Amino acid sequence: MPRTVLLAEDDRAIRHALERALTLEGYRVTAVADGVEALAQAHRGRPDVLVLDVMMPGIDGLQVCRALRAEGDSTPILILTALVETAERVAGLDAGADDYVVKPFDVEEVFARLRALLRRTDGRAADRAEEGQPGGTAGANSTARPGGPAPSRSGAVPEEPDDGRYLAAAGLRMDPRARRAWRDGRELELTRTEFELLELLVRNAGVVLDHSTIYDRIWGYDFGPGSKNLAVYVGYLRRKLDRPGAPQLIQTVRGVGYVLRED
C-alpha cells in the first residue's frame, strides 16, 4: 500500500508542485490550503505523515502541530518554513514537529526527510511488536505521544530486580521498554526524540559520537554541517539533566560531536 501524506500549504504553486512530486514518488497525497482543513483531514483520514507549511491563514502549521500532539496523535510531522532564524525552527520542534525543511527547498531533500521519518516510525512499531506491546502500527495509529513526555506513573525508580532491561551511566538510569529515565532517582520528563538521544548516549557512555553517527541513529538521515537539529536537542537534554554548578553530563567535543561522561 502506498504511504499517505497530508500536505497543507497555502501557496497554490508550491502546493500543486509538491503534490505532483510526491504523487510521482509513489505517495498518496491529500493536499489542502489551510490549517483548519488540515486538522479536519487529519481527523478524517489518519495519514502516515503530515507536511505542514508554517505560515498559513487562520490556523498556522505550528498550531496544527500543537493541536494534534495535545490529542495524543503521534503522526510524524515535517514542517515547511521560510523562517531561517534558529529560534523559529526551535519553535517548530517545540510545537511537536519531528523535522523541518527551509524554503526554498530541493524536493529531493523533502523525499529524504520523509523517508527518514517513516523509517523511524516503522522501527518503533517493530520494536513494540517484538516486545509484545500494543500500538505496533506506524503513524497516527500509535497511542504514544511523540511530542510529550515519556510515560510516567510515579517519579520513583522501580524496585524490580535488574534483569538486564535497565541502562545506567553517570547517575542516569533508563528503562527503554517503558521509555522512562531517572537522574539520581528523579524521573525525567523527556520527549520521544530526547529519550532516543539520551538512550544512545547512555549506551555509549564515555565514547565520543560524531554528528553523522548521531544523526543517522536518531533521525536516519545526516542533515549536513549546517543543521541545528542536534544542537537544539542536546540543549533540551542539558536543561533537564544538569544541575547548577555541576559539570555537564553531555559534553561537547568541538568539531567532532558529543559524549556522555561525568567528571
Side-chain angles (χ1 to χ4, degrees):
M1 292 291 292
R3 295 302 186 98
T4 56
V5 177
L6 173 56
L7 167 65
E9 166 63 69
D10 67 320
D11 186 302
R12 179 179 299 178
I14 295 176
R15 184 173 68 253
H16 287 175
L18 194 49
E19 179 182 10
R20 176 174 173 77
L22 289 167
T23 300
L24 291 173
E25 189 69 6
Y27 294 98
R28 190 167 71 244
V29 184
T30 299
V32 299
D34 59 64
V36 173
E37 185 61 23
L39 276 175
Q41 288 292 338
H43 293 150
R44 185 180 305 129
R46 311 295 282 177
D48 291 312
V49 64
L50 284 85
V51 179
L52 302 176
D53 181 33
V54 169
M55 304 298 290
M56 292 188 291
I59 298 177
D60 64 26
L62 300 190
Q63 291 172 304
V64 173
C65 282
R66 293 189 188 100
L68 292 174
R69 297 314 188 216
E71 296 167 2
D73 192 321
S74 62
T75 306
I77 296 175
L78 177 67
I79 285 287
L80 307 178
T81 179
L83 304 172
V84 298
E85 296 297 324
T86 299
E88 302 294 346
R89 297 197 298 268
V90 169
L93 296 172
D94 278 344
D98 295 275
D99 198 5
Y100 61 85
V101 174
V102 177
K103 297 178 180 178
F105 52 79
D106 188 317
V107 71
E108 292 296 331
E109 181 181 5
V110 174
F111 293 162
R113 296 191 183 225
L114 288 178
R115 288 193 298 269
L117 288 177
L118 291 169
R119 280 198 303 272
R120 291 175 62 194
T121 303
D122 292 345
R124 285 190 296 271
D127 289 343
R128 287 193 295 269
E130 289 177 2
E131 294 168 3
Q133 297 181 16
T137 24
N141 294 327
S142 168
T143 56
R145 178 180 170 186
S152 174
R153 290 163 296 282
S154 67
V157 180
E159 297 180 357
E160 303 98 293
D162 193 341
D163 56 3
R165 67 181 280 180
Y166 295 101
L167 303 174
L172 295 168
R173 184 173 171 88
M174 303 187 74
D175 182 351
R177 295 183 192 175
R179 302 188 70 79
R180 302 176 71 188
W182 300 264
R183 167 86 195 271
D184 296 331
R186 175 179 58 87
E187 184 157 16
L188 305 170
E189 292 190 349
L190 303 176
T191 66
R192 179 184 63 194
T193 301
E194 290 168 356
F195 187 92
E196 292 174 355
L197 177 55
L198 184 60
E199 180 183 355
L200 178 64
L201 291 167
V202 168
R203 288 186 183 276
N204 296 275
V207 177
V208 178
L209 299 176
D210 61 61
H211 296 92
S212 295
T213 297
I214 298 174
Y215 273 124
D216 183 65
R217 295 286 297 277
I218 302 302
W219 283 274
Y221 179 75
D222 187 350
F223 301 137
S227 175
K228 302 294 184 182
N229 279 25
L230 180 54
V232 166
Y233 276 101
V234 168
Y236 290 164
L237 279 176
R238 283 173 171 163
R239 288 197 290 272
K240 294 180 179 182
L241 293 175
D242 294 340
R243 294 169 298 192
Q248 291 181 332
L249 289 186
I250 303 174
Q251 299 182 12
T252 302
V253 180
R254 196 168 299 278
V256 181
Y258 298 95
V259 58
L260 177 74
R261 58 180 172 227
E262 188 171 31
D263 290 342

